[in-house]
Amino acid sequence: MAAPSHKTLHHIAGRWTLNKPLSNPFTPVLALQGVNGFIRSIAAHTSVHLTIHQPNPSSIHLQQTATGASIPAVTEDWILDWTWRDGQDPLFGEMQGRARWI
């Protein structure tokens, strides 16, 4: 994904689309995370879109969708305070994560 010059790391709100010709393949990362080959194959042939809202500087709401496939949309809320939180992902199941600006 290429960002316009007026966007900064701390202000990334907007709609983003993965530019596959300018990006590294992401299927090897999915393989490392244990995603099965069928889902990796489908993911490699879909368009990935992110819609990001930043209600304040310490919170990010992200919705990821893949068009052209039956991969379910993923919505995540990141509170950037480095606190562990439980989550549920359609591909990975139960997980824990934390986030902060670095």
Side-chain angles (χ1 to χ4, degrees):
M1 292 183 209
S5 60
H6 67 277
K7 292 291 185 180
T8 67
L9 183 59
H10 292 277
H11 180 70
I12 57 174
R15 182 162 169 81
W16 304 85
T17 301
L18 178 65
N19 187 334
K20 288 187 180 181
L22 296 177
S23 302
N24 293 331
F26 59 87
T27 51
V29 174
L30 294 176
L32 287 171
Q33 294 174 330
V35 176
N36 74 45
F38 179 70
I39 297 294
R40 291 195 312 267
S41 176
I42 291 172
H45 294 93
T46 62
S47 296
V48 178
H49 307 279
L50 299 177
T51 302
I52 301 172
H53 301 282
Q54 279 184 273
N56 60 60
S58 63
S59 180
I60 296 174
H61 176 81
L62 180 140
Q63 182 178 24
Q64 176 179 309
T65 56
T67 57
S70 58
I71 298 174
V74 176
T75 300
E76 297 179 28
D77 288 305
W78 296 343
I79 299 169
L80 307 173
D81 63 1
W82 207 233
T83 300
W84 286 102
R85 290 182 174 77
D86 295 326
Q88 181 71 27
D89 186 273
L91 290 178
F92 302 112
E94 292 183 21
M95 49 191 241
Q96 285 190 327
R98 60 185 181 172
R100 69 176 175 180
W101 291 117
I102 55 170

